[in-house]
Amino acid sequence: MIKFLFFLFFLFNNAYSQTLTGKVTDSLDNPLESANVIAKPLQQNASIKFAIADNKGRYKLELEKDVRYEIRVSYIGFVEETFIYEPNSEIKTYDFKLKPTGIDLKEVIINHKYEPIVIKKDTLVYDVKAFTTGNERKLKDQLEKLPGVEVDKDGGVTVQGKRVTKFLVENKSFFGGGTKLGVENIPADAVDKVEVIDNFNEVGFLKQVSDSEDLAMNIKLKEDKKKFVFGDVEAGAGNDSYHLLHAALFYYSPKTNLSFIGDINNIGKQTFTFQDLMRFQGGVSSFISGRKSLTNLYSFTSENKDVVENKSQFAALNFSHELSTKLDVSGFALFSKLFTATQNETALEYLQTETLETRTQNGNNRSLLGLGNVKLDYTPNKDEKWYYNAQYQSSANDAFSLLNSVSLNNQNTFETLREADNSSVKQYTEWHKSISKNHTTTLVVNHAYENNVPQNQWLTNQPFLAGLIPLEEDENYQIAQLKKVKSNSVDALFKHYWILNNFNHIYTNVGNNFGTTALQTSERQFLSNGTINDFAENGFGNDIDYRLNDAFVGIEYKFKIGKWTNKPGIYGHWYQLKTKQFEQDVMHSTFLLQPQFNSEYEFNQSESLRFNYRLVNQFPEASQLAERFTLQSYNSVFRGNALLNNERYHSAMLNYSKMSMYRGLMVNAFANWNKKVRTLRNTVELDGINQFTMPILTDNPETNFRVGGSVSKKIYRFNLRLNTSLSWFDYIQEVNGIETANSRNNQNIGVELRTAHKSWPFVKVGFTKGFNTFSGITSSKFETNQFSAEIDHEIIKNISFKADYEAFTNLNFTNPNTFFEIANASVTYQKKNSPFGFEFMVSNLLNNQTINQNSFSDFLISEQTTFILPRIFQFVVRYKL
């Protein structure tokens, strides 16, 4: 079979194309890496071909037969050379030897008629028209056709295996820098070029000294889209009152940019991802890390199609304006209103007690979110930069669930009501100054305030958590819980960059992180006779004031030896942790050294190896130190531990990347290793399905090791991609007073084949095999098979067909196997020059009712069945501005 496939590839290749290879060198035979090789057809109905020379100067062109080409080679600082390639030529190799221009310029501008890809030191520029057909609707459709670019179903973008963390349009941050809103809303016909910038830094003069891990994608618009409104509006209606209204409107001018995205739907369309929301709710300087938000906003971005009902309203506005040549203002605002209804059935096995539980749960959730952010960018001169950013956020969550739990001879039905009102204010100021050629300074001050008031109620007609909560006998049981959490933090950092010479830098850091949390909890039982049973008399109810101060000083030495760059560093941290609970103070003070080491070896411009290591100390949060009981759920009680101290772990990461246009090969690989030598882990006591947990600090080691990567190879007009992700996690868990060595192993290996020719239909098929094992008190194992396929094709002029299919199989070795499949399809009619477009689409084409998932934790194995939205037909009318 494999031999037959290779025979077909060979047959196609010889029937429709011919290959020209060679080298690009200078007059001394030194290879010119990243030289552009452009083959322009000298007749109609043929496409331009291109190649980028690799680190050895090699190039490869796949040329069409019976076509005459003008091949042009260019490289900065050298004179262009051209070569006429005759149709069906016998020439198979041709070397280009470029002559220097003899002009030494600091900046050279080269005007080519065509450059499909330009590769610089850390920038990759795609000319999208080289890879697209013109039938694409959104930026996402274009990105999926660019070599080395992947777009996942949540709108996340990776380039050569590295995830895009900053998203820009015309060099301006787009909706906080998240990718989803951009890739799914920017019209394809507005995009001219896509720039990918590694080691991105907003401050230009910091780029040579600040080792940023950010990968930015900057969208360059066509000239005719920069001075007027563009975008599209669409409306759809379908069966059973399903509907969709969506607008994406943009205005770009030299001084003012505006973007609006609005969406109303009840079809489970996910407007933005949890990662984007985390960016929206950030409001924290990128120089400050380690602050955790107390607000849980996951309900706004959960997979909204895994529900039985969904109603969503969303609006977002992004703006930027140049107030003067020195001052810019930018920001965004968003509003979200979401209602979801869920239905789940779960089978659980508690490993220690060998208890089985079956849960049936129905629930709904109503969520409101409002958020506003404004940023001032002040540049008094080319050597100084100021930023001020302020953000306000408010959210409200109301949830109701009806849970039926059956275990042994017990059957309980619980009604759970949850309400949470949350608000936060976050702001930061940054100052950056280039004092001289060799000295640069950064000062950052960050402030954040959060106020969260979650309330929970449990209602049932049966007693529960016997022996763990002090229930009084009653006809019906109503338990109310109130939490109040206020947190404040102020962080300051002063950083100085000293460039000794081109090969040696010294960076000094001085800073202080100060945070406080006031946490109060209370649980009470409301009796039928009107009296109240306050659990505080039985060890419940917390009132803790928490303060953690981290004063630190550090030095980093960056040096370069040939192609090898290293940056060892050492930080001294003076931690002071103080807690006050019921008039009892606990104070802990310690000085800790935390080394780190970063290293990169650059084989050439398209191949590198990176290594990062650091020693981390992490202190417990206020909830972990609260020493009285807290009711967590209908079968779980938690108690903190006031005597906890910091946990310590080693973290190391190794990354390898290689891109060879000559071989059509892209390789990305990683290995992550984390080892905890002092560990915070919850001990668990089980009684049937009831759980009591408490954190303890131990010297038991925990090791987490992950390796993975992908290899992509272009074979004729196809791209073949292999990817894998392997993880091993070993730790010790205490359950019912018994310590057990546990191991969780997960391996996923996948293969994907897609077409890679702009005139062919876009077809992608993939298969992923997963292996999941757990060993501890008992052993568990299951496997997964996932098959996926996509097609996007203009079947006849102006009519496009798009479909995707996914089949998922759980192979469980103790229970029956489960299988589900999901398919979606659409047909679009759009004339090239018409503003109107029409689409008929079907989601959940096979009308699958449920999806199934298997998982395991420290002490239980679960199999969950989730009910989902039914088949939905929709007719959509679209108008393009």
Side-chain angles (χ1 to χ4, degrees):
M1 181 65 183
I2 295 177
K3 291 182 179 180
F4 176 70
L5 290 175
F6 275 107
F7 171 75
L8 289 179
F9 286 142
F10 177 79
L11 180 65
F12 286 148
N13 191 53
N14 283 273
Y16 298 104
S17 68
Q18 50 191 354
T19 302
L20 178 68
T21 62
K23 285 188 176 182
V24 182
T25 62
D26 62 11
S27 56
L28 300 177
D29 290 329
N30 297 313
L32 297 179
E33 182 180 359
S34 299
N36 283 284
V37 184
I38 311 297
K40 179 182 177 182
L42 299 179
Q43 63 188 61
Q44 295 182 348
N45 301 322
S47 59
I48 292 177
K49 307 295 181 180
F50 70 93
I52 304 292
D54 68 3
N55 63 299
K56 296 182 179 180
R58 298 175 300 182
Y59 74 90
K60 180 187 291 185
L61 288 171
E62 297 289 346
L63 304 176
E64 299 178 31
K65 286 197 171 185
D66 303 320
V67 176
R68 191 168 186 251
Y69 288 94
E70 178 190 73
I71 301 176
R72 179 188 291 115
V73 177
S74 63
Y75 194 81
I76 293 177
F78 290 81
V79 178
E80 285 186 6
E81 185 176 329
T82 59
F83 167 66
I84 302 299
Y85 189 76
E86 299 295 338
N88 304 315
S89 173
E90 296 296 326
I91 299 175
K92 301 300 180 184
T93 62
Y94 189 88
D95 296 334
F96 292 88
K97 186 169 293 189
L98 305 187
K99 299 178 180 179
T101 61
I103 303 174
D104 186 15
L105 298 176
K106 292 183 179 180
E107 181 179 2
V108 178
I109 300 176
I110 299 178
N111 294 316
H112 282 308
K113 293 182 180 179
Y114 197 67
E115 287 184 321
I117 296 182
V118 176
I119 300 178
K120 301 177 184 177
K121 168 69 175 176
D122 52 10
T123 303
L124 193 64
V125 183
Y126 296 93
D127 190 334
V128 295
K129 65 178 178 288
F131 309 95
T132 56
T133 63
N135 296 320
E136 296 79 14
R137 284 190 53 239
K138 299 294 183 181
L139 174 62
K140 178 180 180 180
D141 303 323
Q142 294 176 316
L143 294 179
E144 288 177 333
K145 297 182 180 180
L146 302 184
V149 180
E150 299 284 339
V151 184
D152 62 33
K153 65 179 181 179
D154 295 325
V157 182
T158 57
V159 181
Q160 298 181 40
K162 186 174 181 180
R163 192 172 187 86
V164 173
T165 55
K166 300 284 186 181
F167 187 82
L168 314 171
V169 177
E170 289 295 319
N171 303 311
K172 302 288 186 180
S173 179
F174 187 79
F175 283 104
T179 57
K180 181 178 175 64
L181 290 179
V183 301
E184 295 191 351
N185 289 280
I186 294 177
D189 61 357
V191 179
D192 183 28
K193 290 180 172 61
V194 174
E195 294 181 342
V196 180
I197 309 164
D198 202 4
N199 305 316
F200 175 76
N201 198 307
E202 285 186 274
V203 184
F205 57 77
L206 287 182
K207 188 167 180 67
Q208 64 173 330
V209 292
S210 180
D211 297 321
S212 169
E213 294 294 326
D214 284 326
L215 180 68
M217 177 171 283
N218 181 36
I219 307 303
K220 306 295 289 185
L221 302 176
K222 295 178 180 177
E223 288 298 323
D224 61 350
K225 300 295 183 182
K226 295 182 182 181
K227 295 182 180 179
F228 68 97
V229 175
F230 63 94
D232 56 38
V233 179
E234 60 184 30
N239 58 308
D240 298 328
S241 300
Y242 288 108
H243 60 268
L244 166 67
L245 294 172
H246 185 83
L249 306 175
F250 307 89
Y251 172 76
Y252 277 81
S253 70
K255 289 189 176 183
T256 304
N257 304 329
L258 292 171
S259 304
F260 171 79
I261 297 173
D263 188 275
I264 300 174
N265 78 85
N266 62 352
I267 61 173
K269 182 180 178 181
Q270 188 181 9
T271 309
F272 62 127
T273 66
F274 185 65
Q275 288 76 16
D276 286 320
L277 183 56
M278 290 300 98
R279 188 186 306 278
F280 283 136
Q281 76 155 9
V284 177
S285 168
S286 60
F287 288 84
I288 304 294
S289 62
R291 287 291 175 196
K292 296 182 179 179
S293 174
L294 299 176
T295 308
N296 183 6
L297 300 177
Y298 186 76
S299 61
F300 290 99
T301 56
S302 58
E303 187 58 48
N304 295 332
K305 291 186 178 180
D306 295 347
V307 296
V308 293
E309 186 177 359
N310 174 282
K311 297 177 182 178
S312 173
Q313 299 177 27
F314 176 82
L317 176 70
N318 188 84
F319 72 93
S320 65
H321 178 65
E322 184 180 315
L323 297 173
S324 69
T325 57
K326 297 182 178 181
L327 182 62
D328 291 350
V329 60
S330 62
F332 55 86
L334 65 86
F335 169 81
S336 175
K337 182 179 180 181
L338 181 65
F339 170 83
T340 58
T342 59
Q343 182 178 348
N344 301 292
E345 295 177 355
T346 309
L348 302 103
E349 179 183 355
Y350 294 81
L351 301 177
Q352 183 78 12
T353 60
E354 298 184 354
T355 302
L356 302 178
E357 180 190 10
T358 302
R359 298 178 188 171
T360 302
Q361 186 169 10
N362 296 281
N364 58 60
N365 185 82
R366 291 178 175 85
S367 302
L368 285 172
L369 171 66
L371 186 151
N373 183 284
V374 64
K375 184 176 184 179
L376 297 176
D377 180 344
Y378 178 57
T379 310
N381 54 67
K382 65 181 181 65
D383 297 323
E384 190 172 2
K385 193 81 165 177
W386 288 84
Y387 291 116
Y388 174 73
N389 190 96
Q391 179 172 297
Y392 175 75
Q393 173 186 300
S394 179
S395 65
N397 294 268
D398 298 325
F400 167 80
S401 68
L402 181 64
L403 171 69
N404 184 46
S405 171
V406 179
S407 61
L408 297 176
N409 298 320
N410 297 323
Q411 179 173 344
N412 281 30
T413 300
F414 294 89
E415 292 184 24
T416 304
L417 304 174
R418 302 181 187 275
E419 298 179 6
D421 294 324
N422 311 306
S423 61
S424 68
V425 177
K426 301 177 182 180
Q427 56 186 332
Y428 67 83
T429 299
E430 289 183 13
W431 174 65
H432 308 280
K433 174 70 174 179
S434 178
I435 301 171
S436 66
K437 181 181 178 181
N438 297 328
H439 295 276
T440 303
T441 293
T442 288
L443 176 65
V444 179
V445 178
N446 191 93
H447 169 251
Y449 169 79
E450 291 188 70
N451 184 23
N452 305 306
V453 187
Q455 301 180 59
N456 300 306
Q457 289 189 59
W458 293 272
L459 299 94
T460 182
N461 60 356
Q462 297 285 336
F464 64 102
L465 283 171
L468 290 177
I469 61 175
L471 284 181
E472 292 187 8
E473 188 175 349
D474 202 357
E475 294 180 2
N476 294 290
Y477 297 87
Q478 179 181 352
I479 311 300
Q481 180 188 66
L482 175 65
K483 289 186 179 181
K484 295 181 181 180
V485 188
K486 291 184 180 180
S487 67
N488 237 316
S489 64
V490 178
D491 305 313
L493 170 68
F494 177 81
K495 191 177 184 81
H496 181 258
Y497 308 90
W498 182 15
I499 302 177
L500 300 175
N501 51 51
N502 290 337
F503 303 99
N504 296 273
H505 298 181
I506 293 178
Y507 307 150
T508 54
N509 301 267
V510 179
N512 192 84
N513 301 325
F514 175 70
T516 68
T517 300
L519 169 64
Q520 294 178 327
T521 66
S522 65
E523 287 87 4
R524 295 183 295 177
Q525 177 187 3
F526 290 86
L527 300 167
S528 301
N529 59 14
T531 60
I532 296 176
N533 172 22
D534 193 337
F535 288 4
E537 299 176 358
N538 292 273
F540 281 78
N542 285 282
D543 187 353
I544 178 174
D545 288 324
Y546 169 99
R547 296 189 177 195
L548 176 63
N549 194 78
D550 170 20
F552 62 89
V553 61
I555 187 169
E556 301 169 7
Y557 173 50
K558 184 177 181 180
F559 63 93
K560 186 174 183 180
I561 304 173
K563 297 181 179 181
W564 188 23
T565 302
N566 297 279
K567 191 175 71 171
I570 184 73
Y571 280 77
H573 289 260
W574 183 30
Y575 293 101
Q576 289 183 303
L577 176 61
K578 182 179 180 180
T579 60
K580 182 178 182 180
Q581 303 187 63
F582 304 103
E583 305 305 324
Q584 293 184 355
D585 293 343
V586 176
M587 180 74 176
H588 178 72
S589 179
T590 185
F591 180 81
L592 299 171
L593 290 175
Q594 297 180 189
Q596 62 183 44
F597 179 71
N598 300 326
S599 182
E600 178 179 6
Y601 189 85
E602 189 178 72
F603 300 94
N604 50 68
Q605 291 187 23
S606 56
E607 184 179 11
S608 65
L609 182 67
R610 295 182 181 182
F611 173 77
N612 297 321
Y613 164 81
R614 60 180 184 145
L615 175 64
V616 180
N617 289 281
Q618 189 165 302
F619 281 77
E621 300 176 2
S623 60
Q624 295 175 296
L625 296 170
E627 61 183 0
R628 292 170 69 88
F629 299 108
T630 301
L631 179 59
Q632 288 191 310
S633 70
Y634 74 97
N635 71 332
S636 177
V637 172
F638 174 84
R639 183 183 183 182
N641 184 348
L643 301 178
L644 293 178
N645 208 327
N646 62 292
E647 62 178 353
R648 182 177 301 166
Y649 63 92
H650 302 274
S651 176
M653 178 174 61
L654 184 67
N655 287 285
Y656 172 79
S657 65
K658 177 182 176 63
M659 178 180 179
S660 173
M661 295 292 290
Y662 174 76
R663 298 184 180 276
L665 179 69
M666 293 186 187
V667 180
N668 296 281
F670 71 88
N672 294 344
W673 176 78
N674 288 287
K675 184 178 182 64
K676 289 187 177 181
V677 292
R678 292 177 61 182
T679 306
L680 281 175
R681 177 162 287 277
N682 287 339
T683 62
V684 182
E685 293 184 13
L686 292 176
D687 182 10
I689 68 170
N690 295 333
Q691 309 164 29
F692 171 69
T693 59
M694 185 177 72
I696 60 171
L697 182 67
T698 75
D699 293 325
N700 294 329
E702 289 188 5
T703 304
N704 195 340
F705 182 57
R706 293 181 63 237
V707 296
S710 64
V711 178
S712 177
K713 181 73 170 71
K714 186 175 181 181
I715 304 175
Y716 181 52
R717 295 179 176 178
F718 298 89
N719 268 334
L720 179 65
R721 184 169 183 261
L722 303 175
N723 56 81
T724 183
S725 176
L726 316 174
S727 68
W728 296 267
F729 181 30
D730 297 316
Y731 60 100
I732 294 177
Q733 175 68 57
E734 181 180 329
V735 179
N736 287 358
I738 300 174
E739 287 190 347
T740 305
N742 292 347
S743 178
R744 297 190 210 175
N745 300 327
N746 301 277
Q747 292 85 38
N748 290 282
I749 302 172
V751 60
E752 177 185 282
L753 182 68
R754 65 167 66 184
T755 55
H757 193 269
K758 62 184 295 183
S759 62
W760 282 15
F762 176 75
V763 178
K764 180 171 69 174
V765 294
F767 177 78
T768 300
K769 179 71 175 181
F771 303 89
N772 305 271
T773 60
F774 172 83
S775 62
I777 301 171
T778 62
S779 297
S780 177
K781 179 172 68 172
F782 66 89
E783 298 177 4
T784 59
N785 294 330
Q786 183 178 1
F787 173 80
S788 63
E790 293 182 33
I791 183 170
D792 187 353
H793 179 48
E794 186 178 22
I795 49 180
I796 59 176
K797 186 176 182 180
N798 302 326
I799 297 180
S800 299
F801 173 73
K802 192 172 185 178
D804 62 85
Y805 171 80
E806 181 178 346
F808 194 91
T809 305
N810 281 301
L811 305 174
N812 196 322
F813 292 91
T814 56
N815 296 311
N817 297 337
T818 58
F819 171 81
F820 69 86
E821 53 185 344
I822 298 291
N824 307 285
S826 67
V827 177
T828 303
Y829 174 76
Q830 176 78 59
K831 283 189 175 181
K832 290 283 186 182
N833 299 318
S834 173
F836 283 98
F838 306 92
E839 182 177 10
F840 178 75
M841 58 184 186
V842 185
S843 57
N844 195 3
L845 178 64
L846 304 175
N847 201 26
N848 190 38
Q849 302 297 312
T850 61
I851 61 174
N852 301 281
Q853 294 176 316
N854 288 50
S855 63
F856 41 69
S857 68
D858 300 334
F859 52 85
L860 62 84
I861 302 171
S862 66
E863 180 181 340
Q864 179 172 292
T865 299
T866 302
F867 291 81
I868 62 175
L869 289 167
R871 180 192 294 127
I872 299 174
F873 299 94
Q874 275 209 117
F875 180 72
V876 179
V877 179
R878 186 176 301 109
Y879 181 79
K880 183 186 299 182
L881 279 71

